[in-house]
Structure formats: structure tokens, C-alpha cells
């Protein structure tokens, strides 16, 4: 876990402890000279192309977020700059669960994968990396309408119910992305991981709220276009950080569709380029669509259908009574009438009661260690819900502290016992504690009996909201689902370490504008010992082209790259694009924009 050195950023400092568990230190020193060259290549390509098709001025956005084209960003520098925009950033280890990712956005904190893609995945990687997260998301954070949407969809997503199958899918995606970024992984292992992901995807059943909301997030925050169908601009981070797809997505074979609530019906495959993209006319339209979807979610609908989703998730969730009482735990059962009205709800294992997202004193997981159950509904012969009873109402129904009372609900549930305490908050009765209590269904089935101890009866006519996670997460000490699969940490052999030395020497020559006389020997070493490399040769050519210090060597390096371009199809576009940027200097373009 991180040592939180960057917590002078107020957004990061304000993160609750259940989110801090995902944070890791960036360890800037681990980035190799090849990593830095990959960052620089991608960023130069991005600017060369995105200056014409990105929605927000790319360089201006980078600068405001504390990023540069030349170096992988330092997290502290990013936090210093993002803090001025009301945002922050933390580094994590690869994919984190969708619910946690959404909640970070709700707290206005960007989640940045600390690792960077390998050179053989320089155009696109299915694994989250620092190029995608920082160069994709951060440059557009300065746009107020966009960052409002980003935090709002995060707050909605943090409440979305997910299923146990969603976590299986998350694990499968995470595992495949790790394998694809790892070195020397046998092809059969990747094929097995792809088959497992495909199998899980094909047997997900009815998509959960989180799965559907993830689609809206994908087609907007990650792969969104804005403007008109005929002339859209890119704002999605997945496109902004992919030097391959940011170009190919504009082709006619990639269908452009107006962004509406119907977008929720389009699933996506994180490992492949997208066959269609969605275009919103404004960022305000994104919020309108999100509101439409949110109106279908459990946290706004409540009722038996929402409790069923909580049971299906098999993870902590919260049900909110109409009185405002919040019951948090792993939901295991419910009762309902033939018409579908809830009769009672039940959790299993450690549970807690809260009001306004603050745990009630004495009603935490230790006290309710074996679960919690309580009726839902209105009392018989009552003109108002029990939660709205005043002193006179309680007297009329013989419901005062110290008295033996019988609660008869319209749905057939009866609760009898001696009232020990009535808890009222904000003019609402939320909890009644009884001794010697017996709770029965109309069928005579016993739900609670005196020998089980004191009975805490939740008060509320309806369940008005159900959402993912505990109400008071910090008091509940909720540990989110963290993957048991770590990302791979690469150990470099002597041969690779020597390649890093060559890359670093070339960078120093470029930056200090001296020492170019050794470029000839460095290039010869590359050709002899590292025939698969093309990027370092490209950087050598860039120096020679700008300085004109050695025309013969420039011609030799240029011919070498042209030969590789023609003989290595997998490098053809990369080399061609690199040659284009050398001929059309990015530095000059940046100066012109400024």
C-alpha cells in the first residue's frame, strides 16, 4: 500500500479507508529508459494526430494536468496540478473492481495504473497503464462539463448492484490483461485465458446494474465521441491513449451512432477494437442519459426486486427503509406477498444499522454478528406509517416503553414483546427494541423467538432504496474485493539492461545536445545485438535529422528503418508514423499552439 506521500492533495487526502486499500506507490525509479521512450513515442504520435480530432486542446490539457510529452508523469506533480482543478490522482496495481473504480471518480480522484505498456503493445494494450489513465483521462479533466459528468457517473456507479458473476468476469479480464503484458508467456496460456473469459462472458445471464452502467461508462468515458455524426471529436480516454484506434476509429467501417439510453444494450470486448462508437452532441446529454438509467436502478426504486439483486450479489449491500434506517449486510432472504410487496428482509453474518450513512451506536457488526431480520410494512388499522407515529399515536396503540405490545402488520406478520426502547431520529421512529419477543408470519412460521435474545425491529413501511456496499463503509470496515492475481513485475537480464543503457545514452545526447559522435557505434550495436528493436533507431534518426551532424549515418539509419518497415508488417505503421513525426516536428507544433 502507498505511504500516502501525495496526500497534500485534498481530494486524495479525503479518500475513505476502504478505497485506500488499492493504492500503491508509483516507484518512479522502476521506469526504464525503454519505458520513457515508449511514453515519448506515444505522446508525440498522440499530439501529431489528436491536435485535429481531439475535442479538448491536447497540449493545453496535458499541461494543466501536470503532464509532458517527454517524460512519464510523476504522481506528485500530477496531484499538484490536478488539485487546482479540484481533482487528484492515485496509482494502483492494474485493474481494480468496477465499484471501487467508480467510487474513486465520485471522490474526484483519477485511478492510474502504475505500470506502462511494453513496446510490443505500444499501439494498444487491454491492461490499464499509465499512458491510458494519465494521457487519456487527465487532459480533458479541465473541461468543467466533462469532469462533472465523470464524478457524477462515479457516484451513480458506486451504488450500482453487481452480481457474483461480475467479479468472476473482472478476474478473467484482469488475468488476460496481465498475461498479454507479461514477458515470455506461452501462447497456450493466453488462449486458455481468452477461452475462460469467453465462457464467462457467454454465461453471465441477465446483466447486473453494474454491468449495464459499465457499458455507459465504456461508450462515454473510455470510447466516447462528441459533436455531430459527420464530424465527431474524440474525448474518450481509451481512444485518446491508443495511437492505433484513435486513427482507425474515424474510418467509415466504424459505425457512428447517436448516444442515447439505447447504448446500454451494446456490450463491449475490452480486448478488441470497437465495431461502433457513440456520439453525444454535448456533455450535458451524457448526464441526461445517465439520469434515465439511474431511474431504473435499485437505489432509486427499492422494493422486492432490489432486495433480490442484493441477494444475488452475495456481497454487502444496504437496504433503506422509508423511515431512513439503513440495514447493511449480506442479504440472504426476503418474504413477499403474492402481489410482490415485501414482508420482511434478512441478512446473514455481520450486519450493521445506520442512519444518513452513519452507523447507529451499538448497532455495528459485533452486535449484529449473526445477521439481522425485520418486517417491512404498515400496521393494521393504522392511517399512517409507524415511522410517523407521534406520542399520542403510540399511546393509542399501547406502544410505549415498558409495555407489552403486539404489532400486527397488514401483510400478516405479528411481533409481540415488551418494548425496551424506541429510537427516533429526525422526527421518524426508525427502531424499536423488544424483550421476550416473538415474530411470526401469517402461516405460523416463527421468524424470531424469545430465547434468541433482544429483538431489534426496524421501522418502515417500505424499502425505498437498495445499493451496493455498506452505508457507513468506514465503520463497517468494508474490505472490497481485491484480486488475488498481482500484475507481473519484470526482472531484466544483462542483455536487456544493456539495451536500456543505449536508450538512456541516446536520450542524454538528445537532451544535452552533445555527444552525438557516439551515435554511430550505438547504432551498430543495435543492429548487431538487438535486431528486433526499432524505437531506439528511430530516436537516433530524430537526432541526426534535426542536427544534420552526420548525413551519412542519417541515411544509413533511415535506410535501415525503411527496410524494417517493408519486411516487418507488425512494425510497418509504427515506423511510418514515427518517420512522419520526425518530418513534422511535434515541438514546433506545440510552440505554434502556445
Amino acid at each position: 500500500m502507498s505511504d500516502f506521500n501525495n496526500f497534500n492533495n485534498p481530494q486524495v487526502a479525503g479518500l475513505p479507508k476502504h478505497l485506500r486499500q488499492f493504492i500503491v506507490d508509483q516507484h518512479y525509479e522502476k521506469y526504464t529508459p525503454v519505458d520513457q521512450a515508449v511514453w515519448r513515442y506515444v505522446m508525440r504520435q498522440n499530439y501529431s494526430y489528436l491536435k485535429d480530432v481531439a475535442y479538448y486542446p491536447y497540449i493545453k490539457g496535458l499541461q494543466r494536468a501536470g503532464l509532458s510529452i517527454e517524460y512519464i508523469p510523476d504522481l506528485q506533480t500530477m496531484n499538484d496540478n490536478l488539485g487546482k482543478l479540484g481533482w487528484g490522482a492515485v496509482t494502483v496495481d492494474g485493474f481494480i473492481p468496477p465499484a471501487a473504480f467508480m467510487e474513486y471518480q465520485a471522490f474526484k480522484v483519477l485511478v492510474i495504473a502504475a505500470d506502462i505498456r511494453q513496446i510490443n503493445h505500444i499501439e494498444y494494450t487491454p491492461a490499464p497503464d499509465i499512458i491510458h489513465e494519465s494521457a487519456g483521462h487527465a487532459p480533458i479533466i479541465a473541461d468543467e462539463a466533462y469532469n462533472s459528468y465523470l464524478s457524477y457517473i462515479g457516484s451513480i456507479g458506486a451504488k450500482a448492484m453487481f452480481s457474483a458473476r461480475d467479479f468472476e468476469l473482472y478476474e478473467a479480464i484482469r488475468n488476460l490483461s496481465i498475461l498479454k503484458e507479461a514477458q515470455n508467456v506461452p501462447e497456450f496460456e493466453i488462449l486458455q485465458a481468452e477461452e475462460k473469459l469467453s465462457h464467462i462472458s457467454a454465461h453471465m445471464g441477465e446483466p447486473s446494474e453494474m454491468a449495464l452502467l459499465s457499458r455507459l461508462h465504456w461508450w462515454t468515458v473510455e470510447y466516447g465521441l462528441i459533436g455531430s455524426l459527420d464530424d465527431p471529436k474524440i474525448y474518450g480516454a481509451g481512444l485518446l491513449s491508443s495511437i492505433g484506434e484513435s486513427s482507425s476509429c474515424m474510418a467509415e467501417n466504424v459505425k457512428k451512432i447517436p448516444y442515447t439510453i439505447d447504448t446500454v444494450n451494446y456490450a463491449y470486448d475490452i480486448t478488441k477494437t470497437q465495431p461502433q462508437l457513440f456520439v453525444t452532441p454535448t456533455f450535458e446529454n451524457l448526464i441526461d442519459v445517465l439520469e434515465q438509467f439511474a431511474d431504473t436502478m435499485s437505489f432509486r426504486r427499492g422494493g422486492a426486486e432490489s432486495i433480490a439483486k442484493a441477494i444475488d450479489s452475495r456481497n454487502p449491500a444496504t437496504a433503506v427503509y422509508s423511515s431512513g434506517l439503513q440495514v447493511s449486510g449480506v442479504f440472504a432472504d426476503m418474504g413477499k406477498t403474492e402481489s410482490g410487496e415485501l414482508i420482511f428482509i434478512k441478512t446473514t453474518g455481520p450486519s450493521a444499522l445506520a442512519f444518513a450513512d452513519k452507523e447507529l451506536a451499538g448497532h455495528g457488526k459485533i452486535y449484529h454478528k449473526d445477521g439481522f431480520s425485520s418486517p417491512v410494512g404498515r400496521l393494521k388499522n393504522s392511517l399512517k406509517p409507524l415511522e410517523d407515529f407521534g406520542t399520542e399515536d403510540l399511546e393509542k396503540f399501547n406502544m410505549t416503553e415498558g409495555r407489552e405490545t403486539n404489532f400486527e402488520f397488514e401483510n400478516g406478520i405479528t411481533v409481540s414483546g415488551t418494548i425496551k426502547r424506541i429510537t427516533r431520529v429526525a422526527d421518524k421512529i426508525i427502531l424499536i427494541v423488544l424483550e421476550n419477543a416473538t415474530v411470526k408470519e401469517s402461516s405460523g412460521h416463527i421468524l424470531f423467538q424469545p430465547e434468541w435474545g433482544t429483538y431489534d425491529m426496524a421501522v418502515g413501511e417500505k424499502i425505498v432504496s437498495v445499493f451496493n456496499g455498506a452505508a457507513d463503509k468506514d465503520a463497517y470496515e468494508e474490505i472490497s474485493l481485491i484480486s488475488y492475481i498481482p500484475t507481473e513485475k519484470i526482472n531484466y537480464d544483462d542483455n536487456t539492461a544493456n539495451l536500456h543503457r543505449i536508450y538512456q545514452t541516446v536520450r542524454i545526447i538528445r537532451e544535452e545536445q552533445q555527444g552525438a559522435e557516439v551515435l554511430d557505434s550505438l547504432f551498430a550495436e543495435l543492429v548487431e545485438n538487438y535486431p528486433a528493436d526499432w524505437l531506439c533507431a528511430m530516436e537516433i534518426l530524430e537526432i541526426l535529422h534535426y542536427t544534420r551532424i552526420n548525413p551519412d549515418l542519417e541515411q544509413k539509419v533511415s535506410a535501415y528503418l525503411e527496410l524494417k518497415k517493408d519486411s516487418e508488417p507488425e512494425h510497418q505503421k509504427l515506423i511510418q508514423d514515427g518517420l512522419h513525426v520526425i518530418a513534422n516536428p511535434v515541438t514546433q507544433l506545440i510552440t505554434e499552439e502556445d
Side-chain angles (χ1 to χ4, degrees):
M1 180 180 283
S2 169
D3 60 9
F4 306 124
N5 284 337
N6 53 53
F7 274 28
N8 59 328
N9 177 289
Q11 300 303 132
V12 179
L15 288 171
K17 61 186 178 183
H18 70 278
L19 290 181
R20 293 187 182 192
Q21 64 185 306
F22 296 101
I23 301 173
V24 300
D25 287 321
Q26 183 182 22
H27 290 300
Y28 195 89
E29 72 283 354
K30 75 178 180 180
Y31 299 122
T32 70
V34 175
D35 293 335
Q36 295 286 0
V38 166
W39 170 273
R40 184 172 183 270
Y41 176 89
V42 172
M43 297 304 292
R44 282 161 61 82
Q45 290 296 325
N46 276 352
Y47 183 66
S48 177
Y49 177 69
L50 293 175
K51 63 183 174 61
D52 296 320
V53 298
Y55 170 74
Y56 196 79
Y58 198 68
I59 293 300
K60 180 181 178 182
L62 288 175
Q63 292 171 340
R64 293 192 69 178
L67 306 176
S68 80
I69 281 181
E70 293 296 321
Y71 286 95
I72 295 171
D74 170 70
L75 187 64
Q76 185 59 63
T77 302
M78 284 192 67
N79 268 304
D80 292 343
N81 284 268
L82 289 172
K84 299 173 186 176
L85 303 172
W87 281 72
V90 296
T91 42
V92 299
D93 184 28
F95 277 113
I96 64 172
F101 183 86
M102 291 285 194
E103 198 169 359
Y104 273 107
Q105 286 184 190
F107 280 94
K108 297 187 176 181
V109 173
L110 291 180
V111 176
I112 297 175
D115 292 331
I116 187 169
R117 67 194 63 178
Q118 292 186 48
I119 190 171
N120 56 322
H121 292 151
I122 196 168
E123 286 190 284
Y124 171 78
T125 173
D129 77 331
I130 197 165
I131 293 178
H132 168 77
E133 306 293 355
S134 58
H137 289 292
I140 196 172
I141 283 292
D143 187 288
E144 187 174 346
Y146 173 76
N147 73 49
S148 294
Y149 170 71
L150 190 62
S151 61
Y152 189 47
I153 194 173
S155 66
I156 299 296
K159 295 179 180 295
M161 299 300 302
F162 64 93
S163 70
R165 295 177 297 277
D166 288 334
F167 190 69
E168 295 177 16
L169 181 66
Y170 154 72
E171 278 287 317
I173 291 174
R174 178 180 167 88
N175 183 46
L176 177 60
S177 71
I178 290 171
L179 290 176
K180 285 197 169 186
E181 274 299 303
Q183 288 188 327
N184 303 317
V185 175
E187 186 65 26
F188 78 88
E189 285 192 28
I190 294 178
L191 289 174
Q192 286 178 344
E194 288 178 335
E195 289 174 2
K196 183 176 181 179
L197 174 57
S198 178
H199 177 77
I200 293 174
S201 298
H203 296 84
M204 289 293 290
E206 190 72 20
S208 68
E209 289 179 356
M210 179 60 78
L212 294 174
L213 190 68
S214 293
R215 293 177 185 178
L216 295 184
H217 190 276
W218 179 266
W219 297 122
T220 59
V221 174
E222 298 295 349
Y223 276 77
L225 301 177
I226 187 170
S228 67
L229 293 178
D230 295 331
D231 185 28
K233 301 295 183 183
I234 295 172
Y235 72 89
L239 294 174
L240 290 175
S241 61
S242 171
I243 56 177
E245 202 163 0
S246 62
S247 175
S248 64
C249 76
M250 290 302 181
E252 289 185 3
N253 65 309
V254 179
K255 191 175 181 180
K256 312 301 188 298
I257 305 172
Y259 181 73
T260 67
I261 190 63
D262 293 336
T263 304
V264 78
N265 297 317
Y266 289 79
Y268 60 88
D269 186 339
I270 196 170
T271 67
K272 299 176 181 177
T273 57
Q274 308 308 312
Q276 75 278 312
L277 296 173
F278 297 86
V279 185
T280 183
T282 63
F283 288 135
E284 287 75 16
N285 179 59
L286 301 184
I287 293 179
D288 291 342
V289 170
L290 181 58
E291 281 292 330
Q292 285 182 266
F293 180 75
D295 284 341
T296 71
M297 293 174 64
S298 297
F299 84 97
R300 288 189 179 176
R301 294 175 67 89
E305 181 183 354
S306 300
I307 293 294
K309 291 179 181 178
I311 294 172
D312 186 48
S313 78
R314 303 178 202 168
N315 279 282
T318 296
V320 185
Y321 278 82
S322 49
S323 64
L325 181 72
Q326 298 166 311
V327 179
S328 298
V330 178
F331 284 81
D333 198 7
M334 65 175 174
K336 58 182 180 179
T337 65
E338 290 183 1
S339 62
E341 294 295 318
L342 276 171
I343 297 175
F344 72 88
I345 58 173
K346 181 180 181 180
T347 65
T348 183
S351 303
L353 306 183
F355 186 88
D357 297 336
K358 294 296 180 183
E359 188 175 287
L360 297 180
H363 288 281
K365 294 198 303 181
I366 295 176
Y367 180 70
H368 295 290
K369 61 183 175 61
D370 298 318
F372 180 86
S373 66
S374 193
V376 180
R378 182 186 284 252
L379 294 179
K380 265 186 179 181
N381 304 316
S382 174
L383 297 177
K384 66 172 72 170
L386 177 56
E387 64 252 43
D388 293 333
F389 273 25
T391 303
E392 292 183 2
D393 300 309
L394 292 172
E395 287 282 357
K396 178 181 176 181
F397 280 82
N398 195 36
M399 295 175 183
T400 56
E401 293 180 2
R403 289 185 181 178
E404 188 173 334
T405 307
N406 187 48
F407 297 86
E408 291 186 53
F409 288 84
E410 291 178 340
N411 56 37
I413 296 279
T414 59
V415 179
S416 61
T418 301
I419 296 177
K420 179 180 180 181
R421 184 170 56 256
I422 297 175
T423 301
R424 188 187 295 271
V425 177
D427 297 326
K428 292 281 188 180
I429 297 175
I430 64 170
L431 190 68
I432 298 178
V433 180
L434 299 104
E435 294 178 326
N436 300 314
T438 300
V439 183
K440 295 181 181 179
E441 291 186 84
S442 58
S443 64
H445 178 245
I446 300 292
L447 297 175
F448 193 91
Q449 48 196 19
E451 52 266 36
W452 295 354
T454 301
Y455 183 67
D456 301 285
M457 186 180 79
V459 176
E461 184 180 12
K462 297 178 179 179
I463 296 297
V464 296
S465 178
V466 180
F467 56 84
N468 172 58
D472 187 342
K473 289 184 172 65
D474 282 351
Y476 194 85
E477 296 181 342
E478 182 175 1
I479 302 299
S480 299
L481 295 168
I482 301 179
S483 174
Y484 60 85
I485 307 172
T487 56
E488 182 178 274
K489 307 305 177 186
I490 301 172
N491 295 313
Y492 300 104
D493 58 24
D494 292 343
N495 189 54
T496 304
N498 186 57
L499 179 61
H500 293 169
R501 176 192 62 79
I502 297 173
Y503 267 87
Q504 183 62 18
T505 303
V506 171
R507 176 177 279 274
I508 291 171
I509 292 171
R510 183 180 65 249
E511 291 179 346
E512 297 184 359
Q513 298 183 17
Q514 58 183 7
E517 62 275 5
V518 303
L519 290 176
D520 204 336
S521 61
L522 292 176
F523 176 67
E525 192 173 358
L526 279 173
V527 172
E528 182 176 354
N529 298 327
Y530 305 98
D533 181 84
W534 58 271
L535 182 54
C536 193
M538 185 74 66
E539 294 211 323
I540 290 174
L541 180 62
E542 178 189 341
I543 296 171
L544 295 169
H545 179 76
Y546 292 160
T547 62
R548 304 296 184 184
I549 196 170
N550 189 336
D552 290 340
L553 181 58
E554 179 183 353
Q555 185 176 3
K556 185 188 300 184
V557 177
S558 179
Y560 175 75
L561 287 170
E562 288 288 349
L563 180 61
K564 289 184 76 67
K565 183 186 71 170
D566 294 338
S567 60
E568 300 173 7
E570 70 275 19
H571 295 145
Q572 185 176 40
K573 185 177 185 303
L574 293 167
I575 293 173
Q576 184 61 49
D577 290 347
L579 295 174
H580 174 77
V581 172
I582 290 175
N584 300 274
V586 170
T587 304
Q588 178 182 335
L589 293 171
I590 294 172
T591 303
E592 289 174 356
E593 182 179 275
D594 292 345

